[in-house]
Amino acid sequence: MRLAQRMESVPRSYIREILKVTAQPDIISFAGGLPHPASFPVDAVASAAASVLEEAGPEALQYTTTEGFPPLRQWIADRYKRQGINVSPDDILITTGSQQALDLVAKACIDRGGKVVMERPGYLGAIQCFAVFGPDFVTVPLTPRGVDTDALRQAAGDAQVFYAVPSFQNPSGITYDEQTRREVADIMAETGCLLVEDNPYGELRFMGQHLPPVRAYASAPSVLLGSFSKVVSPGLRLGWVCAPQEVLNPMITAKQASDLHTPGFTQRILHRYLMDNDVDTHIASIRARYGAQRDAMVQAIRQHFPEEVAYTEPEGGMFLWCTLPEGISAEALFHKALERKVAFVPGRPFYVDETDDTFRLNFSNSSPELIEEGIARLGQCLREYLGR
Amino acid sequence: MRLAQRMESVPRSYIREILKVTAQPDIISFAGGLPHPASFPVDAVASAAASVLEEAGPEALQYTTTEGFPPLRQWIADRYKRQGINVSPDDILITTGSQQALDLVAKACIDRGGKVVMERPGYLGAIQCFAVFGPDFVTVPLTPRGVDTDALRQAAGDAQVFYAVPSFQNPSGITYDEQTRREVADIMAETGCLLVEDNPYGELRFMGQHLPPVRAYASAPSVLLGSFSKVVSPGLRLGWVCAPQEVLNPMITAKQASDLHTPGFTQRILHRYLMDNDVDTHIASIRARYGAQRDAMVQAIRQHFPEEVAYTEPEGGMFLWCTLPEGISAEALFHKALERKVAFVPGRPFYVDETDDTFRLNFSNSSPELIEEGIARLGQCLREYLGR
């Protein structure tokens, strides 16, 4: 057989492989990136599904438009307006989860050999997705205030795309401060590099000052991605792209070619759910839950981790990021931790090089009690591993 | 902005653009490829959705595996066994409609500049999807018995993929006879070209002898695509790939990168529907409906079309294909027909060249009465246009 060469350089998702190992019920897993199932509005989705089929009938099960269900696109545009971002529903394309938006970005915006600037560390789903299209990756480091803007200015000059997760980044938990957001917006305008801003966690802030997306500061066209996975349900696979027409048009063509359209059935159910329920109250309850879990994790780390292990203290989102002393392998630690029935994700897949002294902890999917117990086990493991 | 070059050579779907023009309620449209909405099991899907959420609860709304819902993959494998095709659920990957399967085929099997053999005419969704990846298209003509096997043997030698719709082809309605299926299977084994067999209409045979997919005759590995769009509902966007591990593995990686996974919610609903209902009786009712509509269309064409217009008489599926006398433009006819409030799809987008003397008629979405009226209008139009 003569298969395509492009897949040879694309890694199978490390996390999804790890999840198979860590799925045993006696393991406390901070490895995945799963929302807490108690946050899913099961009954409300059931009501919405019944209403949709009763009211729209066969239309809910027919082929529909590539762009997405118009009332859902309207809802998204209206919500942006509340953040000071003026867009029309015509600027919104519904996608099969925001992972698909990355595929469409790659198809429409990234040439083979084209330069793509990534945060370091960066979201592994984006690294994997873009890798299919053979770009030339360049990375810029993250600082506690966000991306290193001097490095970004250097890198962006001849790049096609800068991919960023400015709020509660996956994997680091870092959030760009306001000054960094303004600078990033300026650098994009100066260089003609297209900002692709991924914002799946933006609504999940537990503390600190709310900041709008970089898009709100931008004078140049940019692409903004959103998702319902973290605020309603990931299993519905509903996300979106918000972009000006010159970028959205080739993405719509790419979407037609990729799956014709996202299921109209799930789009209508979600829209009905959003109409019939107070989504802000729902999101506030998720914030309260994850905030408590985040606090439990930070406190447990303070108590149980050796001092040489550095960690971020995220103001929102789902992840916290740890850095080991130089030269210490997180992969080796991972295997030792598994013996103690606790799991995390070693940092390597979040780099385009082979860096191996960091790891990611997820706090959205475990109760404070499990977090305390799991971090205590991991602390014990770290002390032994570091010889303390 | 520095957008990607690849989308410049990809056409926006002609049909989806045409559908916007032909959507006015006073137009009788044979342009789309829509299943009849009366065939959608709305109440049964509503019951299935309620059961899924009641029984699986939050799990139905959580992230799930890339490969798909295991019981649904089992159901598909079991159904293949009844056709003499022995595959395991591990050979099945659930996709977001079978259009996505084409995207995954392209990613895993088609290099930029790689040779892809297409039927002539060929399915425009595949032409569009593959075009994103910049292959070198080569076409082989269709005869009333199926693909021209001499031409295929010539073309397949150094090709990566032969894409075929052997049963009730879209757009032509042509079905490969048994001898042609055997020859295609042999040619693939001889040449090492990978058969990608798309079979969305295989269960919709109205007359003639049932034939299994070419896959059943194949000794070499091949890829077989299937879809629930034509037998249950297109709005659920559920299709699949059946392929041996060496082809399926890179496709699973590509699927992770493309949208992580198809919604678990809709997969569970479909599986529940398949368990709780007699799907064979349901499909028989669709066959009866489309068969009557096909008969109405063939009869009306006999009565109303000028003799110089050739047409296929499909034994199943959703489409019938007409050929005008040489040099007569179907595009021009399309505009004249619109004035008379009847629509079809001109053949041009089904070719990789600019051939313009054919057109496609859909019979699945209109009642026999509308078909009789629409074909009478089109016949009148043809007589005037051809000067009879």
Side-chain angles (χ1 to χ4, degrees):
Chain A
M1 265 186 294
R2 300 179 278 272
L3 299 179
Q5 287 177 20
R6 76 173 64 75
M7 293 310 296
E8 287 166 18
S9 55
V10 179
R12 185 76 80 95
S13 166
Y14 191 74
I15 289 196
R16 297 184 77 82
E17 300 307 308
I18 274 189
L19 291 184
K20 292 176 188 169
V21 181
T22 60
Q24 292 117 285
D26 59 337
I27 289 186
I28 298 178
S29 177
F30 306 128
L34 303 184
H36 202 295
S39 73
F40 300 157
V42 177
D43 292 342
V45 169
S47 298
S51 299
V52 162
L53 286 168
E54 196 182 319
E55 289 163 23
E59 218 185 320
L61 300 178
Q62 185 58 284
Y63 284 113
T64 183
T65 59
T66 300
E67 291 85 349
F69 186 52
L72 182 60
R73 297 161 72 203
Q74 181 73 57
W75 188 92
I76 294 165
D78 289 346
R79 199 163 177 91
Y80 274 136
K81 277 198 189 110
R82 289 169 38 182
Q83 299 195 59
I85 297 175
N86 271 306
V87 294
S88 127
D90 291 342
D91 302 326
I92 310 288
L93 167 64
I94 303 294
T95 58
T96 308
S98 78
Q99 183 72 27
Q100 187 188 39
L102 298 174
D103 182 68
L104 303 180
V105 161
K107 284 173 174 161
C109 308
I110 303 177
D111 284 309
R112 177 159 298 275
K115 188 166 157 188
V116 173
V117 183
M118 302 290 289
E119 300 166 315
R120 183 173 192 278
Y123 172 51
L124 91 174
I127 294 173
Q128 187 197 32
C129 177
F130 295 164
V132 174
F133 298 88
D136 179 16
F137 285 121
V138 178
T139 60
V140 286
L142 288 176
T143 77
R145 295 182 47 204
V147 70
D148 179 327
T149 48
D150 290 337
L152 179 63
R153 189 172 281 108
Q154 293 260 322
D158 55 349
Q160 290 190 291
V161 159
F162 169 43
Y163 173 78
V165 187
S167 294
F168 325 123
Q169 197 237 15
N170 181 358
S172 71
I174 287 172
T175 293
Y176 294 18
D177 65 15
E178 188 164 19
Q179 178 60 26
T180 302
R181 285 172 198 248
R182 287 187 193 283
E183 284 183 42
V184 168
D186 291 346
I187 293 167
M188 296 296 105
E190 287 161 24
T191 58
C193 177
L194 181 68
L195 173 66
V196 176
E197 179 176 21
D198 200 351
N199 191 31
Y201 316 108
E203 306 242 26
L204 301 182
R205 177 179 281 280
F206 322 135
M207 56 187 68
Q209 186 207 342
H210 171 76
L211 291 170
V214 176
R215 174 71 164 76
Y217 306 96
S219 58
S222 75
V223 174
L224 181 52
L225 311 184
S227 174
F228 291 101
S229 290
K230 310 309 188 282
V231 292
V232 181
S233 148
L236 294 174
R237 310 301 304 122
L238 289 168
W240 70 88
V241 182
C242 174
Q245 295 299 307
E246 65 263 41
V247 188
L248 203 63
N249 273 327
M251 292 181 77
I252 291 168
T253 303
K255 167 83 178 161
Q256 285 180 341
S258 300
D259 67 359
L260 294 185
H261 62 84
T262 293
F265 182 51
T266 51
Q267 292 184 67
R268 285 171 184 264
I269 291 171
L270 175 66
H271 179 256
R272 185 65 193 231
Y273 165 79
L274 296 170
M275 290 292 102
D276 290 353
N277 296 274
D278 180 350
V279 70
D280 290 314
T281 302
H282 177 66
I283 293 173
S285 77
I286 299 175
R287 268 199 299 264
R289 177 186 297 274
Y290 292 1
Q293 291 167 191
R294 174 264 184 214
D295 290 347
M297 186 169 276
V298 169
Q299 275 186 327
I301 287 176
R302 269 184 207 145
Q303 191 182 339
H304 298 291
F305 276 18
E307 268 184 13
E308 313 94 287
V309 179
Y311 56 94
T312 58
E313 299 190 29
E315 296 186 327
M318 295 172 32
F319 303 107
L320 186 152
W321 184 246
C322 300
T323 305
L324 294 166
E326 218 183 309
I328 303 292
S329 162
E331 289 253 17
L333 179 68
F334 172 75
H335 292 288
K336 288 183 194 299
L338 265 195
E339 286 166 22
R340 292 198 182 258
K341 306 287 185 194
V342 58
F344 56 81
V345 179
R348 199 164 49 78
F350 299 98
Y351 299 92
V352 298
D353 53 44
E354 295 290 307
T355 305
D356 181 33
D357 59 1
T358 53
F359 60 93
R360 189 189 78 175
L361 297 173
N362 166 266
F363 53 77
S364 63
N365 195 39
S366 307
S367 67
E369 296 70 31
L370 275 180
I371 287 172
E372 161 62 26
E373 169 63 23
I375 295 294
R377 290 185 197 172
L378 194 51
Q380 183 66 24
C381 203
L382 276 163
R383 281 176 198 284
E384 286 174 21
Y385 184 48
L386 299 178
R388 299 293 175 283
Chain B
M1 266 186 295
R2 300 179 279 270
L3 298 180
Q5 287 177 20
R6 78 172 63 74
M7 293 309 296
E8 287 165 19
S9 56
V10 179
R12 185 76 80 93
S13 166
Y14 191 74
I15 289 195
R16 295 183 78 81
E17 301 308 307
I18 274 188
L19 291 184
K20 292 176 188 168
V21 181
T22 61
Q24 292 118 285
D26 60 337
I27 288 185
I28 298 179
S29 178
F30 306 129
L34 303 183
H36 202 294
S39 73
F40 300 157
V42 177
D43 292 341
V45 169
S47 298
S51 300
V52 161
L53 286 168
E54 196 180 319
E55 290 163 22
E59 217 185 321
L61 299 178
Q62 185 59 285
Y63 285 113
T64 183
T65 58
T66 300
E67 292 84 349
F69 186 52
L72 182 59
R73 297 162 73 203
Q74 180 74 57
W75 188 92
I76 293 165
D78 290 345
R79 199 162 177 92
Y80 274 136
K81 279 201 189 110
R82 288 170 38 184
Q83 298 194 59
I85 297 175
N86 271 307
V87 294
S88 127
D90 290 342
D91 301 327
I92 310 288
L93 167 65
I94 304 293
T95 57
T96 308
S98 76
Q99 183 71 27
Q100 187 188 39
L102 298 175
D103 182 69
L104 303 180
V105 162
K107 284 173 174 159
C109 309
I110 303 176
D111 283 310
R112 177 160 298 273
K115 189 166 158 187
V116 173
V117 183
M118 302 290 290
E119 300 166 313
R120 183 174 191 278
Y123 172 50
L124 91 174
I127 295 173
Q128 187 197 31
C129 177
F130 296 165
V132 174
F133 299 88
D136 179 16
F137 286 121
V138 178
T139 60
V140 286
L142 289 176
T143 76
R145 295 181 46 202
V147 70
D148 179 328
T149 48
D150 289 337
L152 179 62
R153 189 171 279 109
Q154 293 260 321
D158 55 349
Q160 290 190 290
V161 159
F162 169 42
Y163 172 79
V165 187
S167 295
F168 325 124
Q169 197 237 15
N170 181 358
S172 71
I174 286 172
T175 293
Y176 294 18
D177 65 15
E178 188 163 19
Q179 178 60 25
T180 303
R181 286 172 197 247
R182 288 187 192 284
E183 285 182 42
V184 168
D186 291 345
I187 293 167
M188 295 295 105
E190 287 161 24
T191 57
C193 177
L194 181 68
L195 174 66
V196 175
E197 180 175 22
D198 199 353
N199 191 32
Y201 317 108
E203 306 242 26
L204 301 182
R205 178 179 282 278
F206 322 134
M207 57 186 66
Q209 186 208 341
H210 171 75
L211 291 170
V214 175
R215 173 73 164 74
Y217 306 96
S219 59
S222 75
V223 174
L224 181 52
L225 311 184
S227 173
F228 291 101
S229 291
K230 311 308 189 281
V231 292
V232 181
S233 148
L236 294 174
R237 309 301 303 124
L238 290 168
W240 69 87
V241 182
C242 173
Q245 296 299 307
E246 65 262 41
V247 188
L248 203 64
N249 273 328
M251 292 181 78
I252 291 169
T253 303
K255 167 83 178 162
Q256 285 180 342
S258 300
D259 67 359
L260 294 184
H261 62 83
T262 293
F265 182 51
T266 51
Q267 292 184 66
R268 285 172 185 263
I269 290 171
L270 176 65
H271 179 255
R272 185 65 193 232
Y273 165 79
L274 295 170
M275 290 292 102
D276 290 353
N277 296 273
D278 180 350
V279 69
D280 290 314
T281 302
H282 177 66
I283 293 172
S285 77
I286 299 175
R287 269 200 298 265
R289 177 187 297 274
Y290 292 0
Q293 292 168 191
R294 174 265 186 213
D295 290 348
M297 187 169 275
V298 169
Q299 274 187 327
I301 287 175
R302 270 184 207 144
Q303 191 182 340
H304 298 292
F305 276 18
E307 268 185 11
E308 311 94 288
V309 180
Y311 56 94
T312 58
E313 299 190 29
E315 296 186 328
M318 295 171 33
F319 303 106
L320 185 154
W321 184 246
C322 299
T323 305
L324 294 166
E326 218 183 310
I328 303 292
S329 162
E331 290 253 17
L333 179 68
F334 171 75
H335 293 288
K336 287 183 195 299
L338 266 195
E339 286 166 24
R340 292 198 181 256
K341 305 290 184 190
V342 58
F344 56 80
V345 180
R348 199 163 49 79
F350 300 99
Y351 299 92
V352 298
D353 52 46
E354 295 290 306
T355 304
D356 180 34
D357 59 1
T358 53
F359 59 95
R360 189 189 79 174
L361 296 173
N362 166 267
F363 53 77
S364 63
N365 195 39
S366 307
S367 67
E369 297 69 32
L370 275 181
I371 287 172
E372 161 62 25
E373 171 62 25
I375 295 294
R377 289 185 199 173
L378 194 51
Q380 183 65 27
C381 202
L382 275 163
R383 279 174 200 285
E384 286 173 20
Y385 184 48
L386 299 178
R388 298 295 176 283

